[in-house]
Amino acid sequence: MQFSFIKCHGSGNDFPLIDARALSLSDAGWAGVARALADRDGPVGGDGLLLLTTGDEDCAFGMRMFNSDGSEAETCLNGLRCTARLGFEVLGLEQATVRLKTSVAQVARDAELAPGVATVRTVVGPNSVAAADVGLRIEAEQVIEAVVPGLPSARAFTAVAMPNPHLVTFVDAVDEEELVSLGSWCEGAPALIPARANVSFVEVRRDADLFVRTFERGVGLTNSCGSAMAASVLAAGLTGRVPFDAQVRVFNKGGLVRGRASADRVVTISGNATFLYDASVQVDVAAGRAEVPVMHARREDEAAAWRAAVAGLASAS
């Protein structure tokens, strides 16, 4: 089956993005396409597969996101910005309500992070600090800056659902080996959290900047996870590390976003939605294999604008 797609990224989180509004494929079929196109050893590669889907009476359009292992995520904020940008362009919109797997999201074009960097603002949620909503099988009603019983870590975590599940801990310095070990344990769907969880180690840097490193559910150690950055902003507010309603810069290995959390837990994230190239590809859906894509157009100006923005912001941080 042949697909046209846009290779895109949000804060370094890269995806093939398909306009699927006129396509009919089963969930199992889309899972196969995700395994083919988001395979890092394959001809396209990515942190997952994004689909722009049709809207309904309440939403202008929808988004589905399949991880590289074929599982479907409740949300993906870096991917949502890219999908929203495509939705804006094909429908002639500046803002919209978007249908996600289990919720809806508000999205809008925003002031550029840097010259030439397309930027989209998202209101994140609905979120929750209820342990049950995060998927934790514990007696406590919530976990805010506390050790999680049964988790193989003595660190204090804050558990939030964005609505996908996140465990966030603040550290003096990120230990990637420790992060991967704990994330891999959660990835095994233990009895403590059978639906698995995203795990983030977060450093608070000068001027209340945050640096986030995440082991993403269904992906592994990733350079960027949008919902993890949002979860980290909320956790920083809930634990008093960053004042509520303060705008903070959230860095990761892929780049950065602007974030803000309010006392009533409304989280807003603004970040890039960069299109890298347009291509088409033949996919054996059943086998989950893709052929070498045919390139139609490269968007070198956007890629260059993002590189310049990251270099400038990194030197200023």
Side-chain angles (χ1 to χ4, degrees), residues 16-34:
L17 165 60
I18 294 175
D19 184 347
R21 291 175 299 156
L23 300 178
S24 179
L25 201 61
S26 67
D27 289 357
W30 284 122
V33 176

mmCIF file with all atom_site columns, all heavy atoms in Angstrom, residues 16-34:
data_model
loop_
_atom_site.group_PDB
_atom_site.id
_atom_site.type_symbol
_atom_site.label_atom_id
_atom_site.label_alt_id
_atom_site.label_comp_id
_atom_site.label_asym_id
_atom_site.label_entity_id
_atom_site.label_seq_id
_atom_site.pdbx_PDB_ins_code
_atom_site.Cartn_x
_atom_site.Cartn_y
_atom_site.Cartn_z
_atom_site.occupancy
_atom_site.B_iso_or_equiv
_atom_site.pdbx_formal_charge
_atom_site.auth_seq_id
_atom_site.auth_comp_id
_atom_site.auth_asym_id
_atom_site.auth_atom_id
_atom_site.pdbx_PDB_model_num
ATOM 1   N N   . PRO A 1 16 ? 6.918   10.360 10.859 1.00 0.00 ? 16 PRO A N   1
ATOM 2   C CA  . PRO A 1 16 ? 6.202   10.452 9.589  1.00 0.00 ? 16 PRO A CA  1
ATOM 3   C C   . PRO A 1 16 ? 4.746   10.808 9.903  1.00 0.00 ? 16 PRO A C   1
ATOM 4   O O   . PRO A 1 16 ? 4.139   10.238 10.812 1.00 0.00 ? 16 PRO A O   1
ATOM 5   C CB  . PRO A 1 16 ? 6.323   9.039  9.005  1.00 0.00 ? 16 PRO A CB  1
ATOM 6   C CG  . PRO A 1 16 ? 6.567   8.144  10.173 1.00 0.00 ? 16 PRO A CG  1
ATOM 7   C CD  . PRO A 1 16 ? 7.214   8.970  11.241 1.00 0.00 ? 16 PRO A CD  1
ATOM 8   N N   . LEU A 1 17 ? 4.209   11.776 9.171  1.00 0.00 ? 17 LEU A N   1
ATOM 9   C CA  . LEU A 1 17 ? 2.855   12.282 9.390  1.00 0.00 ? 17 LEU A CA  1
ATOM 10  C C   . LEU A 1 17 ? 2.034   12.043 8.136  1.00 0.00 ? 17 LEU A C   1
ATOM 11  O O   . LEU A 1 17 ? 2.401   12.507 7.054  1.00 0.00 ? 17 LEU A O   1
ATOM 12  C CB  . LEU A 1 17 ? 2.915   13.777 9.725  1.00 0.00 ? 17 LEU A CB  1
ATOM 13  C CG  . LEU A 1 17 ? 1.626   14.608 9.656  1.00 0.00 ? 17 LEU A CG  1
ATOM 14  C CD1 . LEU A 1 17 ? 0.574   14.073 10.613 1.00 0.00 ? 17 LEU A CD1 1
ATOM 15  C CD2 . LEU A 1 17 ? 1.942   16.077 9.949  1.00 0.00 ? 17 LEU A CD2 1
ATOM 16  N N   . ILE A 1 18 ? 0.921   11.317 8.267  1.00 0.00 ? 18 ILE A N   1
ATOM 17  C CA  . ILE A 1 18 ? 0.075   10.959 7.136  1.00 0.00 ? 18 ILE A CA  1
ATOM 18  C C   . ILE A 1 18 ? -1.282  11.644 7.266  1.00 0.00 ? 18 ILE A C   1
ATOM 19  O O   . ILE A 1 18 ? -1.906  11.618 8.335  1.00 0.00 ? 18 ILE A O   1
ATOM 20  C CB  . ILE A 1 18 ? -0.125  9.426  7.069  1.00 0.00 ? 18 ILE A CB  1
ATOM 21  C CG1 . ILE A 1 18 ? 1.201   8.726  6.769  1.00 0.00 ? 18 ILE A CG1 1
ATOM 22  C CG2 . ILE A 1 18 ? -1.180  9.052  6.021  1.00 0.00 ? 18 ILE A CG2 1
ATOM 23  C CD1 . ILE A 1 18 ? 1.111   7.201  6.815  1.00 0.00 ? 18 ILE A CD1 1
ATOM 24  N N   . ASP A 1 19 ? -1.737  12.262 6.185  1.00 0.00 ? 19 ASP A N   1
ATOM 25  C CA  . ASP A 1 19 ? -3.112  12.755 6.117  1.00 0.00 ? 19 ASP A CA  1
ATOM 26  C C   . ASP A 1 19 ? -3.997  11.546 5.829  1.00 0.00 ? 19 ASP A C   1
ATOM 27  O O   . ASP A 1 19 ? -4.087  11.075 4.703  1.00 0.00 ? 19 ASP A O   1
ATOM 28  C CB  . ASP A 1 19 ? -3.247  13.805 5.013  1.00 0.00 ? 19 ASP A CB  1
ATOM 29  C CG  . ASP A 1 19 ? -4.646  14.419 4.965  1.00 0.00 ? 19 ASP A CG  1
ATOM 30  O OD1 . ASP A 1 19 ? -5.564  13.874 5.609  1.00 0.00 ? 19 ASP A OD1 1
ATOM 31  O OD2 . ASP A 1 19 ? -4.816  15.436 4.262  1.00 0.00 ? 19 ASP A OD2 1
ATOM 32  N N   . ALA A 1 20 ? -4.620  11.028 6.891  1.00 0.00 ? 20 ALA A N   1
ATOM 33  C CA  . ALA A 1 20 ? -5.381  9.782  6.793  1.00 0.00 ? 20 ALA A CA  1
ATOM 34  C C   . ALA A 1 20 ? -6.885  10.012 6.706  1.00 0.00 ? 20 ALA A C   1
ATOM 35  O O   . ALA A 1 20 ? -7.666  9.064  6.859  1.00 0.00 ? 20 ALA A O   1
ATOM 36  C CB  . ALA A 1 20 ? -5.061  8.892  8.006  1.00 0.00 ? 20 ALA A CB  1
ATOM 37  N N   . ARG A 1 21 ? -7.288  11.227 6.426  1.00 0.00 ? 21 ARG A N   1
ATOM 38  C CA  . ARG A 1 21 ? -8.726  11.531 6.443  1.00 0.00 ? 21 ARG A CA  1
ATOM 39  C C   . ARG A 1 21 ? -9.505  10.733 5.402  1.00 0.00 ? 21 ARG A C   1
ATOM 40  O O   . ARG A 1 21 ? -10.685 10.414 5.610  1.00 0.00 ? 21 ARG A O   1
ATOM 41  C CB  . ARG A 1 21 ? -8.938  13.029 6.219  1.00 0.00 ? 21 ARG A CB  1
ATOM 42  C CG  . ARG A 1 21 ? -8.475  13.909 7.391  1.00 0.00 ? 21 ARG A CG  1
ATOM 43  C CD  . ARG A 1 21 ? -8.592  15.386 7.055  1.00 0.00 ? 21 ARG A CD  1
ATOM 44  N NE  . ARG A 1 21 ? -7.755  15.721 5.900  1.00 0.00 ? 21 ARG A NE  1
ATOM 45  C CZ  . ARG A 1 21 ? -7.961  16.759 5.103  1.00 0.00 ? 21 ARG A CZ  1
ATOM 46  N NH1 . ARG A 1 21 ? -9.010  17.564 5.320  1.00 0.00 ? 21 ARG A NH1 1
ATOM 47  N NH2 . ARG A 1 21 ? -7.165  16.995 4.085  1.00 0.00 ? 21 ARG A NH2 1
ATOM 48  N N   . ALA A 1 22 ? -8.876  10.395 4.290  1.00 0.00 ? 22 ALA A N   1
ATOM 49  C CA  . ALA A 1 22 ? -9.580  9.647  3.240  1.00 0.00 ? 22 ALA A CA  1
ATOM 50  C C   . ALA A 1 22 ? -9.123  8.198  3.165  1.00 0.00 ? 22 ALA A C   1
ATOM 51  O O   . ALA A 1 22 ? -9.465  7.492  2.211  1.00 0.00 ? 22 ALA A O   1
ATOM 52  C CB  . ALA A 1 22 ? -9.358  10.330 1.887  1.00 0.00 ? 22 ALA A CB  1
ATOM 53  N N   . LEU A 1 23 ? -8.370  7.736  4.166  1.00 0.00 ? 23 LEU A N   1
ATOM 54  C CA  . LEU A 1 23 ? -7.839  6.380  4.148  1.00 0.00 ? 23 LEU A CA  1
ATOM 55  C C   . LEU A 1 23 ? -8.614  5.492  5.112  1.00 0.00 ? 23 LEU A C   1
ATOM 56  O O   . LEU A 1 23 ? -9.004  5.922  6.202  1.00 0.00 ? 23 LEU A O   1
ATOM 57  C CB  . LEU A 1 23 ? -6.356  6.379  4.532  1.00 0.00 ? 23 LEU A CB  1
ATOM 58  C CG  . LEU A 1 23 ? -5.420  7.188  3.624  1.00 0.00 ? 23 LEU A CG  1
ATOM 59  C CD1 . LEU A 1 23 ? -4.000  7.134  4.162  1.00 0.00 ? 23 LEU A CD1 1
ATOM 60  C CD2 . LEU A 1 23 ? -5.474  6.660  2.193  1.00 0.00 ? 23 LEU A CD2 1
ATOM 61  N N   . SER A 1 24 ? -8.816  4.249  4.707  1.00 0.00 ? 24 SER A N   1
ATOM 62  C CA  . SER A 1 24 ? -9.525  3.285  5.546  1.00 0.00 ? 24 SER A CA  1
ATOM 63  C C   . SER A 1 24 ? -8.594  2.113  5.829  1.00 0.00 ? 24 SER A C   1
ATOM 64  O O   . SER A 1 24 ? -8.238  1.355  4.923  1.00 0.00 ? 24 SER A O   1
ATOM 65  C CB  . SER A 1 24 ? -10.793 2.797  4.836  1.00 0.00 ? 24 SER A CB  1
ATOM 66  O OG  . SER A 1 24 ? -11.478 1.850  5.626  1.00 0.00 ? 24 SER A OG  1
ATOM 67  N N   . LEU A 1 25 ? -8.203  1.993  7.085  1.00 0.00 ? 25 LEU A N   1
ATOM 68  C CA  . LEU A 1 25 ? -7.289  0.935  7.489  1.00 0.00 ? 25 LEU A CA  1
ATOM 69  C C   . LEU A 1 25 ? -7.631  0.555  8.924  1.00 0.00 ? 25 LEU A C   1
ATOM 70  O O   . LEU A 1 25 ? -7.971  1.420  9.741  1.00 0.00 ? 25 LEU A O   1
ATOM 71  C CB  . LEU A 1 25 ? -5.836  1.425  7.390  1.00 0.00 ? 25 LEU A CB  1
ATOM 72  C CG  . LEU A 1 25 ? -4.728  0.384  7.279  1.00 0.00 ? 25 LEU A CG  1
ATOM 73  C CD1 . LEU A 1 25 ? -4.882  -0.466 6.021  1.00 0.00 ? 25 LEU A CD1 1
ATOM 74  C CD2 . LEU A 1 25 ? -3.362  1.070  7.265  1.00 0.00 ? 25 LEU A CD2 1
ATOM 75  N N   . SER A 1 26 ? -7.539  -0.728 9.246  1.00 0.00 ? 26 SER A N   1
ATOM 76  C CA  . SER A 1 26 ? -7.845  -1.189 10.601 1.00 0.00 ? 26 SER A CA  1
ATOM 77  C C   . SER A 1 26 ? -6.771  -0.718 11.577 1.00 0.00 ? 26 SER A C   1
ATOM 78  O O   . SER A 1 26 ? -5.678  -0.305 11.186 1.00 0.00 ? 26 SER A O   1
ATOM 79  C CB  . SER A 1 26 ? -7.923  -2.712 10.627 1.00 0.00 ? 26 SER A CB  1
ATOM 80  O OG  . SER A 1 26 ? -6.635  -3.274 10.381 1.00 0.00 ? 26 SER A OG  1
ATOM 81  N N   . ASP A 1 27 ? -7.092  -0.807 12.863 1.00 0.00 ? 27 ASP A N   1
ATOM 82  C CA  . ASP A 1 27 ? -6.099  -0.465 13.881 1.00 0.00 ? 27 ASP A CA  1
ATOM 83  C C   . ASP A 1 27 ? -4.857  -1.334 13.735 1.00 0.00 ? 27 ASP A C   1
ATOM 84  O O   . ASP A 1 27 ? -3.734  -0.854 13.873 1.00 0.00 ? 27 ASP A O   1
ATOM 85  C CB  . ASP A 1 27 ? -6.692  -0.646 15.276 1.00 0.00 ? 27 ASP A CB  1
ATOM 86  C CG  . ASP A 1 27 ? -7.742  0.406  15.605 1.00 0.00 ? 27 ASP A CG  1
ATOM 87  O OD1 . ASP A 1 27 ? -7.963  1.310  14.780 1.00 0.00 ? 27 ASP A OD1 1
ATOM 88  O OD2 . ASP A 1 27 ? -8.342  0.315  16.695 1.00 0.00 ? 27 ASP A OD2 1
ATOM 89  N N   . ALA A 1 28 ? -5.062  -2.624 13.464 1.00 0.00 ? 28 ALA A N   1
ATOM 90  C CA  . ALA A 1 28 ? -3.930  -3.524 13.277 1.00 0.00 ? 28 ALA A CA  1
ATOM 91  C C   . ALA A 1 28 ? -3.111  -3.114 12.057 1.00 0.00 ? 28 ALA A C   1
ATOM 92  O O   . ALA A 1 28 ? -1.880  -3.215 12.058 1.00 0.00 ? 28 ALA A O   1
ATOM 93  C CB  . ALA A 1 28 ? -4.417  -4.965 13.126 1.00 0.00 ? 28 ALA A CB  1
ATOM 94  N N   . GLY A 1 29 ? -3.805  -2.627 11.026 1.00 0.00 ? 29 GLY A N   1
ATOM 95  C CA  . GLY A 1 29 ? -3.104  -2.163 9.837  1.00 0.00 ? 29 GLY A CA  1
ATOM 96  C C   . GLY A 1 29 ? -2.252  -0.956 10.122 1.00 0.00 ? 29 GLY A C   1
ATOM 97  O O   . GLY A 1 29 ? -1.082  -0.880 9.720  1.00 0.00 ? 29 GLY A O   1
ATOM 98  N N   . TRP A 1 30 ? -2.816  0.027  10.858 1.00 0.00 ? 30 TRP A N   1
ATOM 99  C CA  . TRP A 1 30 ? -2.034  1.215  11.207 1.00 0.00 ? 30 TRP A CA  1
ATOM 100 C C   . TRP A 1 30 ? -0.870  0.861  12.114 1.00 0.00 ? 30 TRP A C   1
ATOM 101 O O   . TRP A 1 30 ? 0.211   1.471  12.018 1.00 0.00 ? 30 TRP A O   1
ATOM 102 C CB  . TRP A 1 30 ? -2.917  2.272  11.845 1.00 0.00 ? 30 TRP A CB  1
ATOM 103 C CG  . TRP A 1 30 ? -3.792  3.019  10.882 1.00 0.00 ? 30 TRP A CG  1
ATOM 104 C CD1 . TRP A 1 30 ? -5.154  3.112  10.898 1.00 0.00 ? 30 TRP A CD1 1
ATOM 105 C CD2 . TRP A 1 30 ? -3.355  3.783  9.749  1.00 0.00 ? 30 TRP A CD2 1
ATOM 106 N NE1 . TRP A 1 30 ? -5.597  3.870  9.840  1.00 0.00 ? 30 TRP A NE1 1
ATOM 107 C CE2 . TRP A 1 30 ? -4.512  4.301  9.120  1.00 0.00 ? 30 TRP A CE2 1
ATOM 108 C CE3 . TRP A 1 30 ? -2.109  4.071  9.188  1.00 0.00 ? 30 TRP A CE3 1
ATOM 109 C CZ2 . TRP A 1 30 ? -4.463  5.092  7.977  1.00 0.00 ? 30 TRP A CZ2 1
ATOM 110 C CZ3 . TRP A 1 30 ? -2.048  4.861  8.041  1.00 0.00 ? 30 TRP A CZ3 1
ATOM 111 C CH2 . TRP A 1 30 ? -3.207  5.364  7.448  1.00 0.00 ? 30 TRP A CH2 1
ATOM 112 N N   . ALA A 1 31 ? -1.066  -0.125 12.982 1.00 0.00 ? 31 ALA A N   1
ATOM 113 C CA  . ALA A 1 31 ? 0.042   -0.574 13.824 1.00 0.00 ? 31 ALA A CA  1
ATOM 114 C C   . ALA A 1 31 ? 1.177   -1.123 12.961 1.00 0.00 ? 31 ALA A C   1
ATOM 115 O O   . ALA A 1 31 ? 2.361   -0.887 13.228 1.00 0.00 ? 31 ALA A O   1
ATOM 116 C CB  . ALA A 1 31 ? -0.440  -1.627 14.821 1.00 0.00 ? 31 ALA A CB  1
ATOM 117 N N   . GLY A 1 32 ? 0.816   -1.844 11.910 1.00 0.00 ? 32 GLY A N   1
ATOM 118 C CA  . GLY A 1 32 ? 1.828   -2.365 10.990 1.00 0.00 ? 32 GLY A CA  1
ATOM 119 C C   . GLY A 1 32 ? 2.545   -1.254 10.239 1.00 0.00 ? 32 GLY A C   1
ATOM 120 O O   . GLY A 1 32 ? 3.760   -1.308 10.033 1.00 0.00 ? 32 GLY A O   1
ATOM 121 N N   . VAL A 1 33 ? 1.801   -0.227 9.837  1.00 0.00 ? 33 VAL A N   1
ATOM 122 C CA  . VAL A 1 33 ? 2.411   0.919  9.160  1.00 0.00 ? 33 VAL A CA  1
ATOM 123 C C   . VAL A 1 33 ? 3.374   1.629  10.113 1.00 0.00 ? 33 VAL A C   1
ATOM 124 O O   . VAL A 1 33 ? 4.474   2.035  9.719  1.00 0.00 ? 33 VAL A O   1
ATOM 125 C CB  . VAL A 1 33 ? 1.328   1.895  8.660  1.00 0.00 ? 33 VAL A CB  1
ATOM 126 C CG1 . VAL A 1 33 ? 1.969   3.141  8.047  1.00 0.00 ? 33 VAL A CG1 1
ATOM 127 C CG2 . VAL A 1 33 ? 0.426   1.218  7.635  1.00 0.00 ? 33 VAL A CG2 1
ATOM 128 N N   . ALA A 1 34 ? 2.972   1.761  11.385 1.00 0.00 ? 34 ALA A N   1
ATOM 129 C CA  . ALA A 1 34 ? 3.838   2.404  12.373 1.00 0.00 ? 34 ALA A CA  1
ATOM 130 C C   . ALA A 1 34 ? 5.129   1.623  12.562 1.00 0.00 ? 34 ALA A C   1
ATOM 131 O O   . ALA A 1 34 ? 6.223   2.205  12.608 1.00 0.00 ? 34 ALA A O   1
ATOM 132 C CB  . ALA A 1 34 ? 3.097   2.540  13.701 1.00 0.00 ? 34 ALA A CB  1
#
